[in-house]
Amino acid sequence: MAEPVEEDFSSLPLPDRFAHKNWKVRKQGYEDAAKEFEKTPDESDPAFRPFVLDSGLFKGAVADSNVAAQQEGINALCAFLKYGGSQACTRTRNSTISPIVEKGLSSTRAATKQSSLEALMLYIELDKADPVIEELLPHLAHKQPKVIAADLSAINAMYHAYGVKVIDPKPVLKALPKVFGHADKNVRAEATNLVVEMYRWLREAMKPLFWNDLKPLQQQDLEKLFEAVKQESPPKQERLLRSQQAAVAASAASGGNDDGMGGDDAEEEPQEVEEIDLTEPVDIFSKIPKDFHENVASTKWKDRKDALDAFFAVANVPRIKDGPYDDIIAALAKCMKDANIAVVTVAANCIDVLAKGQRKGFARYRSRVMSPVLERLKEKKQAVADALGQALDSVFASTSLTDCLEEILEFMRHKNPQVKLETLKFLIRCLKNTRDVPAASEVKSIADAATKLLTESTEVTRAGGAEILGTVMKIMGERAMNPYLDGLDDNRKAKIKEYFEAAVVKAKDKPKPIAPPPKAAAPAPKKVFGQKAVAKAAASAKKPAPRVSTPQAEEPASAPLQARPTSLLPQEA
């Protein structure tokens, strides 16, 4: 008796096969769809259209009840995203991410898990991470512990691949305390792994968002794990977004570095994500005491100090919301001239926290406070000098070396030796902390000022001049600083070299690549005027060269010299 012939469903449209009741038909449909997507020439191919219009097709595929078909369905989604581009991503992610987390990431099949994670990675790569994280976070409250653990593991892998610059860490960090309190040990273990991965990128900056909500024993266990991370090299983004890939390709096309993961940039010190970047801004303006201006202008120093102490308590927060602080700044600048050093010290502390809290927003106040603070550096008491120096450092962090340099160099010529000394110390700190390479004109101004300090009467000032030159040399390179060291004696050069070798800076000038020699210009063609002449020239170019009849045949004078075949040379008698 003949075996029944299975019906052939390959002629059915792919959407119909995706929704078929027979799992084998669905599985074959998923496989054929993946092949179809791979063959498309671009993202606008009609093969993508049915799936873009109906996101429910892939919602069913990634959650297929048959595990073998589900695996192929997720593979088909990966191909759809890889070749379908941003439109494929944005039209389907709201329908597919949730079933991927519930059915794919927690699958018992390793291949299904890997494909599920790859699909989530592609959703980030093609657009941005925020919509993906928004879909993942609610599953941290899922009733099944294996789903929560798989969700945490996937988030961990995403941060490892893309880093905290691409994926905002704040929403995830805020959700961590709840999973650390979960009854399932696997959930807690994955939460621990995620925190360690976050620590690789954020270090101590992450703690204010969740650390105090953990149990002391959990904090101790994590601190032990952090010790091992501190010994590792800083992490780097391992996977690029499509937008980043396009930028790299454009850079390579224009003759830049074609290494997508960094080249010279890979050796640069990565910028740390500071605590201020992870906390919400606080509106302190409404919390400032109503009698602040009255008390800070009091004739009694105790009232002035108390007013400043009250403001410091309000402003001492990680991040400050922008507001109209012009009158506050004017009051703090005026306090720099106060006869009482306690008032000066607290005023400097207020400038410090206000600049730290506002960061770039404080830049507009720099010109109003920097000169008064620099002028007050004449105080020899160390506590006052430290407070003033810290205020200057925070003001500098809100601006740039270019913004501050003119005033700094002016005060380095101050008649008061103490002001001169503390100002040059401030310049050294600026040079070590700036991330911007100084312009050539700025280097010259700094070098000229520092060279003059080498002839000062006090050793500490001369050493400061040498340290400035050594620090600038660390940024610009030895070759760039050679012109400024000509004429100095060997002892001073040796001192500058010592500071150069010891300096640790964040900005380093990169030598410009040597341009290849220009290609030799091709010989200019004959100028031919008129269309008839052009046609005649083209016709003559197609004709074969005339056969040389005699060795003595002369070549046209205008033709370039060429070696003639030896068979045409005259024979010797």
Side-chain angles (χ1 to χ4, degrees), residues 239-455:
R239 184 163 177 162
L240 300 179
L241 303 176
R242 287 287 173 90
S243 57
Q244 294 172 321
Q245 294 174 27
V248 170
S251 175
S254 62
N257 190 332
D258 60 356
D259 183 359
M261 299 316 295
D264 291 339
D265 294 338
E267 298 178 3
E268 290 184 358
E269 177 186 352
Q271 294 189 14
E272 296 179 1
V273 180
E274 300 182 4
E275 179 180 329
I276 190 170
D277 297 322
L278 302 177
T279 51
E280 297 298 326
V282 178
D283 181 10
I284 68 166
F285 195 78
S286 59
K287 301 177 182 178
I288 299 173
K290 303 297 182 185
D291 56 355
F292 170 78
H293 291 286
E294 178 183 348
N295 290 335
V296 83
S298 173
T299 56
K300 298 179 180 180
W301 74 267
K302 189 71 168 58
D303 292 344
R304 299 195 299 274
K305 181 178 179 298
D306 289 345
L308 293 169
D309 283 334
F311 176 79
F312 178 84
V314 170
N316 190 21
V317 294
R319 192 172 180 184
I320 297 174
K321 188 176 181 180
D322 287 345
Y325 296 104
D326 299 79
D327 293 340
I328 299 289
I329 294 297
L332 295 176
K334 186 177 180 181
C335 287
M336 289 296 106
K337 298 179 180 179
D338 201 289
N340 189 285
I341 59 173
V343 173
V344 174
T345 303
V346 181
N349 292 338
C350 291
I351 294 173
D352 173 35
V353 295
L354 197 56
K356 281 180 179 176
Q358 286 194 295
R359 278 299 170 95
K360 298 304 178 184
F362 190 83
R364 62 182 180 273
Y365 304 124
R366 181 204 61 79
S367 60
R368 301 178 64 178
V369 297
M370 180 168 278
S371 289
V373 176
L374 288 168
E375 188 68 48
R376 196 59 196 238
L377 288 173
K378 63 185 179 182
E379 294 293 340
K380 294 185 178 181
K381 193 169 182 180
Q382 193 59 46
V384 183
D386 290 345
L388 294 170
Q390 183 59 55
L392 287 170
D393 290 346
S394 297
V395 171
F396 171 75
S398 71
T399 56
S400 66
L401 182 63
T402 300
D403 294 333
C404 303
L405 188 58
E406 184 178 349
E407 284 181 72
I408 293 174
L409 295 178
E410 179 183 345
F411 276 86
M412 281 175 60
R413 298 189 295 268
H414 202 278
K415 61 183 179 181
N416 187 307
Q418 184 67 18
V419 174
K420 183 184 296 186
L421 177 61
E422 293 299 325
T423 302
L424 73 85
K425 289 180 180 179
F426 174 47
L427 176 58
I428 292 169
R429 297 195 301 272
C430 293
L431 291 170
K432 290 181 177 179
N433 288 297
T434 182
R435 294 188 182 275
D436 301 321
V437 175
S441 59
E442 294 171 342
V443 171
K444 184 179 186 307
S445 300
I446 295 170
D448 290 346
T451 303
K452 291 179 181 178
L453 295 176
L454 297 176
T455 60

Side-chain angles (χ1 to χ4, degrees), residues 162-230:
Y162 290 108
V164 295
K165 292 286 184 69
V166 173
I167 308 176
D168 184 5
K170 287 186 285 186
V172 175
L173 288 171
K174 291 177 181 178
L176 286 175
K178 188 173 182 179
V179 290
F180 266 99
H182 201 281
D184 188 88
K185 65 178 182 179
N186 293 327
V187 171
R188 297 195 302 273
E190 290 296 344
T192 299
N193 294 338
L194 176 56
V195 170
V196 172
E197 179 62 33
M198 289 286 203
Y199 190 81
R200 290 178 66 236
W201 297 91
L202 301 171
R203 293 298 196 262
E204 299 297 315
M206 72 178 187
K207 289 186 176 179
L209 273 74
F210 77 101
W211 193 253
N212 292 334
D213 295 326
L214 302 182
K215 297 177 181 178
L217 184 60
Q218 291 173 329
Q219 293 178 352
Q220 294 173 13
D221 292 341
L222 287 170
E223 289 289 3
K224 293 176 183 177
L225 296 173
F226 294 163
E227 288 301 319
V229 175
K230 292 176 183 177

Side-chain angles (χ1 to χ4, degrees), residues 89-105:
C89 162
T90 56
R91 291 295 185 90
T92 60
R93 64 187 171 201
N94 292 338
S95 302
T96 57
I97 292 179
S98 184
I100 285 175
V101 176
E102 294 181 353
K103 302 291 185 181
L105 292 175

Side-chain angles (χ1 to χ4, degrees), residues 485-517:
L485 304 187
D486 287 345
L488 299 181
D489 59 58
D490 292 340
N491 289 336
R492 287 172 176 165
K493 287 182 179 179
K495 194 71 173 176
I496 293 169
K497 192 67 180 292
E498 287 179 17
Y499 283 116
F500 160 73
E501 293 173 350
V504 178
V505 298
K506 296 181 180 179
K508 289 187 179 180
D509 190 33
K510 296 178 183 177
K512 295 180 180 179
I514 300 174

